[in-house]
Every structure is written in C-alpha cells, then in structure tokens.
Amino acid sequence: MSATCEETVKLSDNVRKEIDDWLTRFPPEQKRSATLYALRMVQEENGWVSKPHMNAIAEYLEIAPVAVYEVATFYTMYDLEPKGKHKIGVCTNVSCQLCGSDKIVEHIKNKYQVGLNEVTKDGKYFFQEVECLGSCCGAPVVIVDDKHYKEKLTPEGLEKVLQELEG
Amino acid sequence: MFNIEIDGQQVEVEQGQMIIEAADAAGIAIPRFCYHKKLSIAANCRMCLVEVEKARKPMPACATPVTEGMRVFTKTPAAIHSQRTVMEFLLINHPLDCPICDQGGQCELQDISMSYGEGVSEYTQGKRSVDGDDLGSLVATDMTRCIHCTRCIRFCEEVAGIKELGATNRGEHMEVGTYVDHALESEVSGNIIDLCPVGALTSKPFRYQARAWELQQMPSVASHDCVGANTFVHTRRQEVMRVVPRECEDVNEVWLSDRDRFSYTGLESEERLAKPLVKQDGQWQEATWADALNAVKEGLQRVKDKHGASQIAALSHPSSTTEEHYLLQKLMRGIGCHNLDHRLNRVDFSDQDQFGLYPRIGTPVAKIDELNAILLVGSNIRHEQPSIGLRVRKAALSGAHVMMVNPMAYEFHMPMSESVVVKPSEMVSALAQVAKAASELASGEVPAAAAKLLSGVSYSEAHKTIAKKLADAEQATIMMGALAQNHAHAANIRALCNLIAEFTGSSCGALTEGANAQGAWLVGMLPHRAMAGADAMVPGLDAQTCFAEKLRAYVLHGIEPEADVANSQVALDALKQADFVVSTTVFVTDAMKEYADVILPVAPATETSGTFINVEGRWQGFRGARPAFEEGRPAWKVFRVLGNLFALEGFDFESSEQVLTEVHAKVKQLEGKVHAWVAPERLPASHEKGLEVIAERALYQTDAIVRRAAPLASSKANPEFGVHVSVQTAQSAGVESCEQVEVKAGEHRVSLPLVLDERVPTGAVWLPSGYAESAVLTSHATVTLAKG
Ligand code: SF4
Ligand code: FES
Ligand code: FES
C-alpha cells in the first residue's frame, strides 16, 4: 500500500528473535497464534504496548492490525498505556485477604497517596489489584513487574522490596 | 440423505447440515441473529435455541448438526422459555431507541423481540453506551445498539477479505469497531449494513431519509459493471431513496458492491439535466422536445447533405441498454452513417474481426467458485469487477490457484499462487513466455504459426509455474481485464491468452467495461459488425479513428469524452471543431456546452425499461423504478422519434418490449460466427523511452452517474489521487521528497500529487483515469516527472 505518515515503530531485534522462536511452534499459515507472545515480548521490553507497537506486530505476523487490537484489549494483563516504572500487583483474593493483604493496600494508600490501579505521582510505581496468583500458601502475595513473586509480605516487607528495586 | 423431524414435520436433510439449514429449507422459522447462510458459524447469540429430544440442554440450531432420527422442537414450552430468556439477555444493554433508529421497521431485533420476546425485563440497571467509530462516508455507526453478533466482522474477514472490524475489550466492555477510528477501505463495505440485524450499522447516505414502510420496491439491475448485480431500487413518492441487493445465487449471491449500492446518489447531482437544450446563435436555450429533435434532424441532415453521412459518427456508452444500442445503430445506419462504436477505451482494434458474437467471460459467473486455477491478465479485479472479485477470492480460499500477469502488484486480499508484474510494454512478452512454457506442456501438436511466433522466447520459473498450474487444473480460466483490453497491443495480448488457454486446456475470456458491452456487440453498435455478428455491409470507423479523423458531426449517447474516452484530448478537439454535435445525456457539463449543439436529457437505468446482457450472456431485463426526471425521456424513445423524423422504416415501436422483441427475432435468425485463432505476425518489441503510463480507470470513475456520487467520491476505497511511483522511480527522477510533481507528456504538463507506491514497477507510473485533472496524461504511453 501507499506510504502513510502515521507514527510507526520497529520491533527490536530481540523481540523479533523471540517471535521467530515462537513461530516455529505453530503451522506456518497460523502466524496469528504468536500474537499473545509477541505482545508479551513487547510489554516486557517496553513496559507497555502502544498502538504503533501493535501495528508493528501485525505487520511482522502478516495479520490485520485489528486482530492484534482484539487480543491486546481482551487480556487485561496487557498494559495499553504507560504504567509507571515498576508494576506492583497486590493480590486481594480470599487467601491473601485473610492473611493481611488489606494492610498492604492501606499502607500504599497512606504512604504513596494512590489507590490501587493508579500510578504514583513521581511515575515510579503502578500499584495494581490482581486476582489470585496461585500462590496462596505464601499469602499475602505481591507480584513485581509481572515476574517476581514476593510472599508473606507485610507493609514493612513491601518497603524492603521497593528499596531493592531502587538499588 | 435421511429424515429428521422438526415440529412433527418430516424433513429431508443431508449429512453435515445444521438444524437451522434444514428448518430454513422446510420453511420452519427459527429466530437468529448471528447465523447467516453466507458466513461462518459463530453461535454466539443463542437466539436459535431449540429443544432436541434426548438432549439435556437446549441446543443452538445454527451449530447443531442433524443426526439420523433427530426430533427437534421449536415451539415447545422449553424452547419458548429459552427464546424468551435469550431475548431478555440480548436487550440488557440495547437502548431500545427504535423511534430514532433508521433500522426501525426493517430490524431483525425489533421483529424477533416482538415475536419471541417478553414485554418486560427483570433488568433495571443502567445500560452501557458506546461511542461508535467513524467508518467513512458510506456506513453510519450507532454502536450502542450493537448486539455483538459479529456478522459484520465475519463478513469483512471472510468475504471481503480485509479484516477491518474487530471486537475489542471483553465481557460487558466488548465493542465492535476498528479500534483506531479508520474509514473502511473495502469496495464491498456496504454489505455490512444489510447484515447488521440491528441499527448499529446503517447506510450513511440514506440516514434519516425515509422509513422502510414508506418505500416502494422495484426489482432492477445494476448498471456499472459487466456482471449486472440484481438489485431492488427503493423509491418514495417517485424519488430513488436507496438501492439494495436482490438475491440471485447465480449472479451476485446476496451481495452488492458499494459502487452499485451508492451510485444512485449521483443522480441528485446539480448537473442533472431537466430540459432539452439547443444552442442558437451561440446561446444555450431551453427548448421543447419537438424543437430540439427537429434541430437534431436538421443538424445531421445538413452535415449529411454537405459532406455525406460518412462524416457523421455515433458513439454510445457501453452501459446503455440493448434497446438503446440497437435503435441508435438502426437510426444511424438508416441515414447512411456507419461510424458506430461503444469501445471507448480500446485503442487496438486490429483483431476486431476475430471476435465471436461478443466478448465474454470464459466460464459462467456462478461457476467461478469451482475453478481450480485462474489467471488474471491486466486486471485490478477488486476494483474493476467487485462481484467477480468476491467469487475469485472464494475460489482461492477453497484451494484454487489464483495467478496474475499484471502491470501493477495489486493486493487482492487472497492467496496468490504466482504473480508476474511487468511494465505495460512488457505485458506481451511476459504472456509470450507463459505461452512458450505452456506450449512445451501441451499434449497435442503446436500449430506452426504459434511455434514460429514463440521460437526464440525463453521463460523463467514463474512463467512455467503459471502454465503448469493452468495445465494441471481440472477447470481453469484466463480473465483479461481492462488493462489488457485497453492495452496498445490488446490484440497480441488476446491472441497469446487464447493460445495459453488452448495449450493448457483452460477457458479464456474478457471482463468488459460497462454494463452492456455484450448488448452493444450483439446488436451491432460497432463499425464492423451489424446485427448478431454479421459483417457490416459498409464498414465504418472505430471509436478512436472517429475522433482522430475530425469528422463533421457526432452523436454521443451517455458519454463524457473528457473522462470516458481513451484519447480524451483528441476527442474533445474533434468535438469542438465539428459542425454539429448532439449529446443524449443524464447530466450537462460545461465541456458539453462548449462542444455540443443540442443536448437532450435522457433517462438513466433507474428511470427506463431495458435489457442488459452480462458478461456470461445472461439477458437481464428491468423496468424503470420511477418516471424520468423532469422532462427527461427514455433514450429508446428519443431514437425512435428521430427515426420517424428521418422517415425511416421500422421505427414504430410503442414500447421498449417491442424493440426487444425485434432484437430477439433478429438474433434468432442469425448465428454468431466462430473465429479461429490467428497468429499475430510478430510480437512488438518493448523499447519505450520515459516512464510508462499505467492508466487504470479509478474505482468510482466508471461512468457519469458513479462519478457524481459524492459518498463514493469520499470513500477510502478510492485509490489515492495522484501519480503513483515506486521509491526507486522517484529517486531516479529526483522527486522522492516532493508533494507535488510536474508530469510531462508531449506538450502537456500537469501538476499532480506524488504518491509513493511500491506496487508500481520501476520505470512506470500509475495514473487514475476518469478524472479531468489527469485526463490528458492517461492517453499517453510515456511521461516524465520533474519537481513541481
Ligand atoms: S454492528 Fe451489527 S452486525 Fe456488527 S456485531 Fe454489532 S449487531 Fe452484529
Ligand atoms: S489469593 Fe492471593 S495468591 Fe491466591
Ligand atoms: S443464530 Fe444460533 S447462536 Fe446465533
């Protein structure tokens, strides 16, 4: 098609490599199957997934952009807006609640002056409410940057985790 | 085949059918929203729940296959309970704003909730609302009304081939749209209006214009391509309000292209001509029909007396009805004029004697779906013939090899098995290469003439693949599009295509321009043929020569030469110097007022009766959906009266049916000749200087009516206006960073926007034809580019 002047981005070599790797697991005419992973790669690298990134994924996988939008908006764990430097997911489901996740939530409200699903004013942290992380034995659980589980946390424990992030 | 029982009725079904299909065939109503017989099964609305004996739960009729001895109940208390609850669910978020909704009165949701719903709902919570996307000039959105059946999404993806719509977010937040607010690019986007069972997607041009129950419906036939899609024209108080598809499985199935659907809006143009106009002493005057027709008679008679009838030419648009083509040529031949033609965009007529009764497609339209291989030659099929494009795509999806030899790397939204993209001047040699490869695969003896022609031709892998796929296919066809037929060496292209077809056992045919080129051929609106393929007694001049020779008088029927004729500048010059020009037309233009002497308002297809013969030879008659506008008259009547004024015999028709009867009778008497393939002497060498021009008739520039349809003009399906070149071409011309470039052709210079387009082969430029701004360029073989 003819050139347009919309904002475009290129997928990094790293992301491409990862996608290529995933593509080997699907039939060649089913490139669409790699959409979930492609979005995850971009989010890991970039912190969130922008529209130009989604378009780049569509182009790379040779599918319609709207097919990527559909997937990205369906799953709530993709962040489609910038969400602060670090993402702190606090589980508020039954086990964690019984073991004191409400104290952690309270602490966040008092110390950082934000509610859940909000970004701190300095843009450093995005505190997110998440559903059961499947690690109830370690309740209350917090997940840092979608990856690292911190278990049996107290407000003080959370502070320590955040300090480590700084370090 | 076996039997199942639905509501106590024995119904014969086939293995693999769904309950809903069996019920539909038996005329048993099952309510549905997401199910559509031409789309994949989504089974997401649950409106079709029925009770099936021995099943524990209600079953969706659209997604439950029939089984031997199955007993289905659609009206038992359990079935009714399911229908009522689903209906209640579907209405949880629906705004019920029927009084201000365009769909009111023709809404599936309204109808089904009346017949299957309950009057009250237990849901008292607030309803959500959704901001719809702006989908462009054709489709209006009110997405709060959407019930998420996904018919529109499935249509775009499965039928149109462009996934432009999607369902984003989920659960209660799910929204149907483009997500990024982008106007639809599909050339068949209007079908989602028909598919949407609610008022979420409605026609933008028709918005708030009329209520369904105020409309009268007349069956008609679309007049903008060679398929002749079946339509209904909806009128209110004798005004055309909209056009919708009329189901015809063999022609357009249930679809309609946007061009056929929205072109009626062009009829509202301010240029619409209301009364006959006659130029007197350089001044345009409104005239009575009697005076105007007398002026025509006198004007033509004067030229005939002074210069002879060979100084007169008559040209008619290929979208004119068979009756009009017939009477016009009868009239002109009656007064001794033989310069007749409708092939306005052709430039190579050298093989015109080798045509059969008329050019036609190699396979019936309905059979395209079943082909195993299709070779497109010089065709942007999606834009040229949208309905055939959909069929070709369907074939491709069911495994056919679709291939092309084209001067542009068109994107057809379907898997292509092989593409050869070359500059226009290399089209002939590319086809010769395919022919050579095919000749080596052919089982029989290669005719000596062909062998001689192809000696010394060598081919590459791509050419061989095309030949092989055609040869291997059980059923294959070659389709020549407008870029092949209007090529400078069209005769060679045609000869080679026929040769390839012969070698590979394929059929071969052309996708003609206009709605009724077949009718024009059949009744002899041609310089070399009279009725039904008989040779003309006195051969006349072809369309281009008629203008190049600068004759003394012209009769134009439905033509705007500046846009409809290949060498538009030559045509305009010829018309301006002529002594007498009469134009029978729907619209009057400034250009027309410059060259014409009499301008007569005639009725377009929606306002007259007539017959189109489509590209497969199907005769499709229609009647006017409303009387002619103001003082306009059906053109056949105009030609009839002129015949009387010239005191010609056989012009006593009372109706267009009588004209048709005469045509039928004459066609029956005569047999079309079969013409053997004649080898061209030699193939043209390709050495063009400058950048070669690919002049393609733009999607919405096919005829005077379409050209004036404002909603179509602003649709995003239009090619971007300007001169399209590849980056490489732009770089070598030093214009890659320009917005506007000067395009030079001979002594003409035109400033046009530059569009970088990777589909254009290097060394060529793509120009849309049909626009006044680019008209002088499109008839040139080459141009140069400079900073402008
Ligand atoms: S817009 Fe209409 S066709 Fe599309 S999903 Fe909604 S209700 Fe169905
Ligand atoms: S409830 Fe918190 S991890 Fe399971
Ligand atoms: S029609 Fe069967 S579920 Fe929608």
Side-chain angles (χ1 to χ4, degrees), chain B residues 407 422-430 487 489 684-688 692:
Chain B
V422 292
K423 291 194 284 183
S425 66
E426 290 160 5
M427 284 288 287
V428 176
S429 57
H487 194 276
H489 300 294
S686 57
H687 46 71
E688 302 278 357
E692 291 181 27

Side-chain angles (χ1 to χ4, degrees), chain B residues 648-659:
Chain B
L648 298 175
E649 262 180 47
F651 275 86
D652 309 315
F653 307 100
E654 296 284 322
S655 67
S656 73
E657 285 78 14
Q658 287 182 2
V659 183

Side-chain angles (χ1 to χ4, degrees), chain A residues 47-63:
Chain A
W48 64 292
V49 188
S50 68
K51 265 183 212 165
H53 273 113
M54 291 191 248
N55 294 343
I57 291 173
E59 204 187 328
Y60 195 69
L61 297 179
E62 292 168 344
I63 57 177

Side-chain angles (χ1 to χ4, degrees), chain A residues 1-2 32 66 69-70 73-74, chain B residues 157 163 166-170:
Chain A
M1 265 289 128
S2 38
R32 185 174 182 166
V66 70
Y69 309 152
E70 283 181 324
T73 55
F74 185 87
Chain B
E157 187 169 5
K163 189 170 162 58
T168 49
N169 300 309
R170 69 164 144 175

Side-chain angles (χ1 to χ4, degrees), chain B residues 761-774:
Chain B
T762 302
V765 304
W766 182 91
L767 284 165
S769 81
Y771 294 98
E773 296 90 325
S774 57

Side-chain angles (χ1 to χ4, degrees), chain B residues 229 241 444 509 591 754:
Chain B
M241 301 309 291
L754 179 76

Side-chain angles (χ1 to χ4, degrees), chain B residues 101 103 139-147 196-202:
Chain B
C101 176
Q103 194 82 346
V139 182
T141 56
D142 293 273
M143 297 317 279
T144 303
R145 299 178 185 142
C146 170
I147 57 163
C196 183
V198 305
L201 304 172
T202 51

